[in-house]
Amino acid sequence: MNILVLNCGSSSVKYQLIDMDKEFALAKGSVERIGMSASVLTHNPHDKPQRKISREILDHIQAIDQVIAMLLSEEHGVINDKSEIDAVGHRVVHGGEQFEKPVLVTKDIMVELRNLIELAPLHNPHNIRGINAAGANLENAPSVAVFDTAFHSNIPDHAYIYGIPYQLYTKYGIRRYGFHGPSHQFVSEQAAELIGRPLEELKIITCHLGNGASISAVDQGKSVDTSMGFTPLEGLLMGTRSGDLDPAIILHIMAREELSLHEANTLLNKHSGLYGISGHSSDVREILEAVEEGHTNAKLALNVYCYRIKKYIGSYTAAMGGLDAIVFTGGVGENAAQIRSQCLTDMAFFGITIDEKMNASHSSGIGKISAEDSNVGVMVIPTNEELVIARETKRIIEKG
Amino acid sequence: MALQSVFVIGAGVMGCGIAETIASHGIEVYLIDKTTRLAEKGIKTISENIDREIERWGLTNSDKRAILSRIHPSSDLALVSEAQMVIEAIPDRLEPKQELFDELDRLSPPSTILVTNTSTLSISEIGAVTRRPEKIIGMHFLNPVTKVQIVEVVRGLRTSDETYQYIREFAELINKKPILVHEYPGYVTTRIIVPLLNEAMHVLMEGISTPEDIDNAMKLGFGFNVGPLALADMMGLDEVMAWMENLIGELSDHKYNPCPLLRKMVRAGHLGVKTGEGFFKYDADGHRIRNNVVGAKAEVEE
């Protein structure tokens, strides 16, 4: 059974075609910088050289068309016919309260998914476009939606209830949901393997730092708290998202600038974060370059970014009453040594010390970067949300 | 719904707003006007609208590139030979619209749905010149199209259920709440708002209150975003009067008689925001000039 996994992020589509009999990726790749200048499609077939094309790819519909064409291409493809794709597993960001588990996509489910758009305006529309584009291209392959929120469905009520009238929870489902579930799940399982102890004995903090960013407290293999909340806007500072904010600020700005709901929403989701503070870029790589060149606000943005992560690590250590490991993952977490180092500066009191040399020299793959005498293991683990999604998809398809 | 592209005919204010709205939902748009220059002027209008929205944090630069890349200006009406759906947005007069629909009927495949954007005209009358009245339907978008969240979907006498259902789905696809209207003069929005504006003008003419207080009464008293007099200025007083005259022509009910003050102002060329003066005064950018210099001074002295 071959499963195509599509992970449509805010400016990227990641894909893998996985042979589930061997859990082996026939091809993986991504389309990056969608809607920005010079989008790049990188395609890695398992038995052929990498193929990279750069062209303008303006939205997710175009991106998925290109991906399917690439999988079928005579020169670079890995299958001969669309029928070799047995199912498509989609990452869907927000499952609300009704989706605590993955689900086979039907017309009715699509309606429910669309109703969830307002909870995740930056993601669910792209996920839904991905499902539609896949459905149009692959008429015979069923689609399964795997939700970011599902891994966090065990968070206790004292961590998911907000300090507002309780009836808003019962009426509108307003509570913390959390996101990046498959990623937090995957890297915490990998961390346990690396440590060589059962996951059920461990307290782990997982930092998923990508274009969006969230941090989770994983106690005995279960998420007990996470930084993203009702929507993926809460918590850490992100590329263009504000993260934690005094809610009165937005009311104040809306009144002063006479902003509509839509404008306020875009302000917080697309004009804030690293980009908003620096006025320069939403991309951590570009921020780090600008800091080198002496860009003052880029430096400020970077400091805010790292300080937030540090605060969350402290509070989740308290929440779990201890800590065995910290995991960095996601594009930034896996590649930006400087950020990992800055987040964990002066944490010896918590038993966290990193080996600066190992941190700086870590290039790819799984790696431990904590110092010999650190009580807490610090590690870099590349995430594999796609494999988690493929496994869940297979399970749903086989169940019928 | 598998909709690849939509053809919008007429690159005026409404046509541009409709084209931008559709393109921002991922659908290709062919924006057609009489000359390439006019069509390209439409693109410029859209580009400027988006820039204003970026300044208000409502859109981003990459949104702008994506939207503009999907709008293709042209002067070639024959392109509709490939169209699934055409939206006409030329000036709101019957003869030119009928001429255009006759031409669209000949140029487009029989399956193409032809939509007219009109605020007052009869869909049935426009459709009568074609061989496909069942595929003729009205979509009354309100200005500014990108912001107003509703569209009136107007069924002519012979519009089919399929066409109506298709357009409802299309409206939802571009994130507009469709309002069902069975063709009748003024539909729902114009029919209700115009007498309200007219009544506000009567209240002013009879010296009962000031323009500011009339607008405040309705804004703060009844939760309107804009007061009726400011709204009339925004719509254009000539437009408001034309709608009233259309309603009275169709329905012969004296309640649609334009207020004498409205007639006087239109005759004087005070048409609202577009001429810089209506019930209030406006600068070149269309921003209201507030005559509160005296009040401000008094405040400072306090």
Side-chain angles (χ1 to χ4, degrees):
Chain A
M1 177 185 275
N2 294 332
I3 291 176
L4 174 64
V5 176
L6 292 177
N7 178 351
C8 299
S10 46
S11 65
S12 66
V13 171
K14 289 191 216 152
Y15 65 94
Q16 285 194 18
L17 185 65
I18 302 177
D19 174 351
M20 287 311 287
D21 302 331
K22 306 185 192 109
E23 287 204 345
F24 173 73
L26 298 169
K28 49 175 103 172
S30 64
V31 186
E32 301 280 353
R33 299 177 66 86
I34 293 170
M36 299 184 219
S37 55
S39 315
V40 183
L41 192 161
T42 313
H43 176 70
N44 293 298
H46 72 101
D47 56 350
K48 290 175 196 144
Q50 184 185 71
R51 167 83 173 147
K52 209 165 185 169
I53 51 172
S54 180
R55 66 172 55 151
E56 195 163 40
I57 298 173
L58 291 165
D59 58 22
H60 294 70
I61 303 171
Q62 290 182 2
I64 289 166
D65 283 351
Q66 299 267 337
V67 168
I68 292 176
M70 191 59 95
L71 290 170
L72 289 168
S73 123
E74 221 163 279
E75 218 180 317
H76 312 284
V78 291
I79 48 172
N80 301 315
D81 193 88
K82 282 181 187 176
S83 65
E84 292 170 47
I85 300 174
D86 296 292
V88 187
H90 295 268
R91 172 193 179 206
V92 175
V93 167
H94 212 307
E97 278 215 312
Q98 61 264 57
F99 295 115
E100 289 191 350
K101 291 195 172 85
V103 63
L104 182 72
V105 177
T106 61
K107 217 179 161 186
D108 291 342
I109 294 288
M110 285 302 280
V111 173
E112 287 191 57
L113 292 182
R114 265 189 221 105
N115 290 340
L116 291 170
I117 282 182
E118 70 179 285
L119 303 189
L122 209 59
H123 284 104
N124 271 28
H126 306 312
N127 303 153
I128 288 170
R129 283 190 195 121
I131 295 174
N132 283 332
N137 266 294
L138 304 162
E139 303 82 3
N140 299 319
S143 278
V144 171
V146 180
F147 301 95
D148 261 38
T149 45
F151 179 58
H152 304 295
S153 59
N154 292 310
I155 287 180
D157 55 3
H158 63 257
Y160 75 65
I161 286 294
Y162 289 105
I164 53 176
Y166 188 80
Q167 65 182 34
L168 293 170
Y169 165 62
T170 48
K171 208 168 166 188
Y172 301 117
I174 291 177
R175 51 161 284 183
R176 176 179 312 286
Y177 290 97
F179 301 90
H180 295 135
S183 180
H184 291 295
Q185 182 183 345
F186 183 80
V187 297
S188 52
E189 286 166 5
Q190 293 276 302
E193 257 179 55
L194 188 62
I195 295 167
R197 281 169 60 193
L199 188 57
E200 291 70 26
E201 291 177 5
L202 296 171
K203 297 179 191 298
I204 303 172
I205 290 177
T206 50
C207 309
H208 177 105
L209 311 177
N211 217 339
S214 73
I215 183 163
S216 273
V218 182
D219 195 355
Q220 302 175 37
K222 286 186 173 155
S223 170
V224 293
D225 203 351
T226 190
S227 60
M228 281 180 169
F230 177 62
T231 74
L233 186 56
E234 195 183 346
L236 304 177
L237 192 79
M238 294 168 237
T240 59
R241 278 175 256 167
S242 64
D244 290 337
L245 183 81
D246 174 351
I249 292 172
I250 194 59
L251 304 177
H252 184 78
I253 300 171
M254 284 180 78
R256 291 299 289 262
E257 303 255 335
E258 294 190 0
L259 297 186
S260 67
L261 285 177
H262 168 77
E263 286 159 346
N265 188 26
T266 317
L267 166 68
L268 294 175
N269 275 303
K270 293 190 176 179
H271 290 268
S272 298
L274 289 172
Y275 174 72
I277 297 175
S278 71
H280 176 71
S281 173
S282 62
D283 189 313
V284 164
R285 283 162 296 194
E286 287 173 21
I287 290 287
L288 290 171
E289 279 168 23
V291 170
E292 285 297 307
E293 289 160 14
H295 193 300
T296 322
N297 273 31
K299 177 78 183 155
L300 178 59
L302 178 69
N303 290 345
V304 175
Y305 186 94
C306 293
Y307 178 66
R308 283 270 174 95
I309 296 170
K310 185 177 186 173
K311 267 207 309 195
Y312 268 101
I313 290 173
S315 59
Y316 286 170
T317 306
M320 289 192 289
L323 183 62
D324 298 299
I326 297 172
V327 183
F328 285 96
T329 192
V332 177
E334 290 165 35
N335 297 302
Q338 189 183 333
I339 286 188
R340 294 193 297 257
S341 165
Q342 191 172 336
C343 295
L344 299 181
T345 308
D346 299 330
M347 299 276 272
F349 173 80
F350 287 83
I352 305 166
T353 331
I354 65 167
D355 183 321
E356 291 293 351
K357 227 178 191 171
M358 276 158 73
N359 180 43
S361 64
H362 176 83
S363 59
S364 65
I366 296 184
K368 208 165 160 215
I369 58 166
S370 41
E372 275 300 317
D373 59 351
S374 178
N375 286 336
V376 175
V378 182
M379 47 203 75
V380 180
I381 299 177
T383 189
N384 194 346
E385 292 158 293
E386 283 77 7
L387 184 57
V388 175
I389 292 169
R391 285 175 185 162
E392 298 288 348
T393 302
K394 180 172 181 245
R395 204 172 48 77
I396 296 282
I397 297 296
E398 285 177 346
K399 220 167 56 181
Chain B
M1 124 182 266
L3 183 62
Q4 305 302 329
S5 61
V6 173
F7 288 69
V8 176
I9 317 291
V13 174
M14 293 310 286
C16 286
I18 294 167
E20 185 189 332
T21 302
I22 297 171
S24 69
H25 288 84
I27 302 163
E28 301 290 317
V29 179
Y30 292 85
L31 182 60
I32 298 177
D33 211 318
K34 279 185 201 132
T35 66
T36 319
R37 213 178 57 81
L38 283 171
E40 276 164 5
K41 202 176 146 219
I43 300 287
K44 196 165 158 263
T45 306
I46 294 170
S47 172
E48 288 165 1
N49 286 346
I50 297 175
D51 285 340
R52 266 196 294 278
E53 201 47 35
I54 292 174
E55 271 172 37
R56 291 178 58 79
W57 302 295
L59 289 170
T60 63
N61 284 318
S62 48
D63 291 336
K64 180 178 173 178
R65 273 208 307 281
I67 294 169
L68 290 179
S69 79
R70 292 196 190 99
I71 307 178
H72 315 286
S74 173
S75 60
D76 186 4
L77 196 62
L79 285 175
V80 302
S81 65
E82 306 274 329
Q84 286 171 273
M85 180 175 161
V86 179
I87 302 178
E88 162 278 310
I90 64 171
D92 213 2
R93 287 189 299 276
L94 184 63
E95 283 90 56
K97 285 205 196 248
Q98 281 187 324
E99 275 166 34
L100 178 63
F101 271 75
D102 177 42
E103 214 173 341
L104 290 172
D105 190 38
R106 282 185 284 112
L107 292 171
S108 63
S111 59
T112 308
I113 292 178
L114 303 180
V115 180
T116 174
N117 174 60
T118 174
S119 52
T120 40
L121 298 175
S122 157
I123 310 303
S124 308
E125 206 171 358
I126 294 170
V129 301
T130 71
R131 290 161 296 178
R132 61 180 99 187
E134 76 286 355
K135 291 202 181 304
I136 309 292
I137 191 163
M139 282 186 96
H140 177 212
F141 289 94
L142 274 64
N143 193 26
V145 181
T146 50
K147 300 213 169 174
V148 180
Q149 291 174 15
I150 59 135
V151 60
E152 288 182 295
V153 178
V154 191
R155 300 187 63 156
L157 203 56
R158 293 172 66 184
T159 306
S160 70
D161 287 343
E162 289 77 20
T163 302
Y164 171 68
Q165 211 45 50
Y166 187 89
I167 292 300
R168 269 194 82 94
E169 274 178 42
F170 169 68
E172 273 159 15
L173 192 70
I174 59 171
N175 214 12
K176 300 285 178 216
K177 176 94 193 148
I179 306 291
L180 165 67
V181 176
H182 290 287
E183 179 183 325
Y184 200 80
Y187 311 150
V188 174
T189 52
T190 312
R191 168 87 180 270
I192 295 175
I193 198 68
V194 163
L196 179 86
L197 305 187
N198 205 47
E199 201 59 33
M201 296 170 201
H202 274 287
V203 169
L204 177 65
M205 187 180 71
E206 290 160 25
I208 296 166
S209 188
T210 64
E212 283 80 10
D213 277 357
I214 292 170
D215 272 15
N216 280 336
M218 300 309 287
K219 268 166 74 177
L220 305 178
F222 296 96
F224 284 69
N225 284 332
V226 188
L229 298 175
L231 183 60
D233 277 355
M234 283 161 66
M235 289 172 161
L237 301 190
D238 50 340
E239 294 284 334
V240 175
M241 194 164 90
W243 288 328
M244 306 263 339
E245 283 174 338
N246 180 283
L247 284 169
I248 206 159
E250 293 274 348
L251 302 168
S252 307
D253 188 329
H254 71 90
K255 73 181 173 193
Y256 302 114
N257 251 329
C259 171
L261 176 61
L262 175 62
R263 282 191 190 283
K264 190 159 85 178
M265 290 178 73
V266 171
R267 284 177 188 143
H270 293 177
L271 305 182
V273 178
K274 61 187 170 187
T275 61
E277 185 166 1
F279 294 103
F280 303 99
K281 289 188 176 170
Y282 304 88
D283 66 18
D285 296 329
H287 296 299
R288 183 134 146 221
I289 301 167
R290 311 227 171 226
N291 292 328
N292 55 356
V293 186
V294 181
K297 257 187 195 161
E299 238 170 70
V300 171
E301 280 162 15
E302 254 177 75

